[in-house]
Structure formats: C-alpha cells, structure tokens
Amino acid sequence: MQGGQSARLATDGDQLVVELSGSSIEGSGTLTATAVTAEGDIEGWSIELSDGAALVGIATLQFQHDFAEGEPAPLVTSSEDGSSFEAAENVL
C-alpha cells in the first residue's frame, strides 16, 4: 500500500475489516492483521503497518462477533513502539 491510495484488509469470513483512506497513510509499506490470544484465552487482533508506512489519519475497524449477553464492546489500543499501549480515541 502507498500514501494517497486507499487500503482495505479483510480476514477470512470478514471477522475483521480494516479500511484506510489515502489521506490516512503516509509513506508506503504493508498492512497486516494477525489473530492473537492473550492471557486468559482473550482473543484479539494485532494490526500493524510496517516497512515505512505510518497511520496519520483515521482507520476504520469492523469486527464481526456474536456477543454474549453482558459482554463488553471490543477494547481498541494503539502503540507507537510495540510495547506501550494506549486506549484509542474516538472508538464507536
């Protein structure tokens, strides 16, 4: 993918869809999404821009998940260095 061009990534079965407008990407590189399981069998996704690409605008993430009664909405965090995570802003 390259800055100025929109990018869309969808996993098998559209469990996760990531959409970036061209104005949201700076540089060129690769967008990947990897399923991960954290401590306590908590399932999630690791979404990364690499090879010189940077997110400079809005990213749209769509999750397909059958929520159990009382189950909280997904927690979305971001990290500049891959180890210090912060809650993402403007999550709907």
Side-chain angles (χ1 to χ4, degrees):
M1 86 183 162
Q2 185 170 339
Q5 297 179 347
S6 298
R8 183 178 191 275
L9 173 68
T11 63
D12 289 339
D14 289 341
Q15 292 178 343
L16 169 68
V17 176
V18 180
E19 295 179 325
L20 306 173
S21 69
S23 62
S24 292
I25 305 166
E26 188 173 274
S28 61
T30 306
L31 172 64
T32 59
T34 306
V36 296
T37 302
E39 191 174 318
D41 292 331
I42 298 172
E43 296 178 351
W45 296 94
S46 174
I47 304 165
E48 296 184 39
L49 286 171
S50 59
D51 303 325
L55 182 65
V56 295
I58 295 173
T60 301
L61 309 176
Q62 297 175 353
F63 301 94
Q64 186 177 92
H65 179 75
D66 293 328
F67 287 94
E69 186 174 328
E71 184 177 359
L75 173 63
V76 179
T77 62
S78 64
S79 174
E80 290 281 331
D81 62 10
S83 60
S84 301
F85 295 93
E86 296 179 15
E89 297 179 9
N90 302 318
V91 176
L92 302 175

